[in-house]
Amino acid sequence: MGLLLIMGFTLKEAIRRRIFLAVAVLSILMLIAFTVLFSFVLANSTPPSYIDLPTFLLGIGAFMTVPTTWLVYLLGSLLTVLLTTNMISGEIEAGTFVIIVPKPLHRFEIVLGKWLCYALLLGIYIVLLTLSFWAIIYWKTGYWPTDAWPALALLELVIMVLLGITTLGSTMVPTLVNGAIVLVLFIVALVSSFVQLIIPFVAPTHAVAVQNTTTIINLLIPTDALWHGTSFFLTSGALTLLQLAHVGNTPFTSTEPVTVALVVWAVLYSVALPTLAAWRFQYRDL
């Protein structure tokens, strides 16, 4: 009962702050703009003489699936940070918990209730936005990712990992510090992909050291590694369908699926951090 009460309170708070509403409206406008621009590009594109029109459209659809999904990855990650870095620390700073905690509520219900509410909100947002982009691409080109559901599952796992980090941070440090830590970690994970790509060409003797560093970063915050797993599922089916050679490793694509061990680590990570946050909140001075 207490868990549901906190979830309802958190939902009302998210609506009152209007951040989620603003993002939802902007996302709808973005989808409309994408549809118009994509339609304009397709209407003014002519396939080469050696490619038939259906294959040409499938190729464009396969190509556009990756950047649009990467955009969802960035927007979902940013929304997670904006919405959840103050889930506990903001309430403490505002003095709300001084009133709530003495009620017949367990502290772990407060943390897990907030975490569950945000997990549902963000999860639904990611699913709807991703499927909307894919549906527009399918409508215009006839292309639908062959491994759509594994890709979507990994994309959701990215958000759960970030949510776990912000939840734990919110029980330990002030809101601004929590947000800064999460953003820096997220950017570092992203930059490590670029460094790992260029280091064999500019400093091959340091390639092993960079690889080891990237592995540590991926264990600390596995968001970028999970994105590469997502991109693999988005491109592998397309390459088979279009009978093309594999694409190379880039900061946006991968030739190999994410390892099962890393997926298991990310799942445990996204569950263990909120659990640790609930334990930490038991002893937090309000």
Side-chain angles (χ1 to χ4, degrees):
M1 184 63 183
L3 203 64
L4 295 177
L5 182 65
I6 293 298
M7 289 180 68
F9 173 79
T10 304
L11 178 61
K12 292 178 181 178
E13 179 65 15
I15 295 173
R16 186 187 66 81
R17 291 170 59 196
R18 298 185 181 179
I19 294 177
F20 196 86
L21 178 61
V23 172
V25 172
L26 290 174
S27 297
I28 293 172
L29 294 177
M30 178 178 61
L31 289 170
I32 294 172
F34 173 74
T35 304
V36 173
L37 292 174
F38 193 44
S39 300
F40 176 79
V41 169
L42 290 177
N44 291 276
S45 298
T46 304
S49 57
Y50 55 86
I51 299 179
D52 59 274
L53 182 59
T55 303
F56 177 70
L57 290 177
L58 286 175
I60 293 178
F63 174 80
M64 288 303 300
T65 299
V66 174
T68 52
T69 309
W70 191 71
L71 180 61
V72 176
Y73 162 71
L74 290 182
L75 288 175
S77 300
L78 180 60
L79 181 60
T80 302
V81 175
L82 287 176
L83 269 180
T84 65
T85 50
N86 72 335
M87 69 161 68
I88 301 298
S89 57
E91 303 286 1
I92 294 174
E93 292 162 5
T96 308
F97 286 150
V98 175
I99 302 173
I100 294 179
V101 171
K103 305 295 182 182
L105 289 173
H106 297 289
R107 287 197 179 192
F108 76 87
E109 290 180 318
I110 295 175
V111 176
L112 295 184
K114 283 180 167 290
W115 177 79
L116 279 172
C117 182
Y118 283 123
L120 288 173
L121 282 175
L122 293 166
I124 291 172
Y125 173 78
I126 291 297
V127 168
L128 290 179
L129 187 58
T130 304
L131 293 182
S132 296
F133 271 120
W134 292 353
I136 293 169
I137 293 171
Y138 178 76
W139 173 37
K140 293 296 181 180
T141 67
Y143 175 77
W144 183 266
T146 306
D147 298 313
W149 306 120
L152 187 57
L154 288 179
L155 200 59
E156 289 280 7
L157 190 53
V158 169
I159 302 305
M160 293 303 102
V161 165
L162 280 174
L163 180 58
I165 297 173
T166 57
T167 303
L168 178 60
S170 190
T171 63
M172 300 179 68
V173 296
T175 300
L176 290 178
V177 177
N178 188 22
I181 291 173
V182 178
L183 283 176
V184 169
L185 288 174
F186 182 80
I187 293 171
V188 166
L190 185 62
V191 170
S192 68
S193 293
F194 288 87
V195 175
Q196 190 176 15
L197 178 67
I198 65 174
I199 201 68
F201 302 100
V202 299
T205 57
H206 295 83
V208 175
V210 170
Q211 176 63 49
N212 292 336
T213 303
T214 302
T215 301
I216 294 172
I217 293 172
N218 286 336
L219 290 174
L220 186 62
I221 178 167
T223 51
D224 188 70
L226 291 172
W227 160 251
H228 279 82
T230 301
S231 69
F232 171 81
F233 284 118
L234 292 177
T235 57
S236 60
L239 296 175
T240 302
L241 176 66
L242 299 173
Q243 298 180 345
L244 299 174
H246 68 79
V247 295
N249 282 318
T250 72
F252 311 102
T253 58
S254 176
T255 59
E256 299 178 355
V258 63
T259 63
V260 175
L262 186 61
V263 174
V264 172
W265 168 257
V267 171
L268 295 175
Y269 193 90
S270 60
V271 173
L273 292 189
T275 304
L276 184 58
W279 175 82
R280 173 67 180 83
F281 187 56
Q282 298 287 332
Y283 307 98
R284 178 71 187 267
D285 184 13
L286 304 181

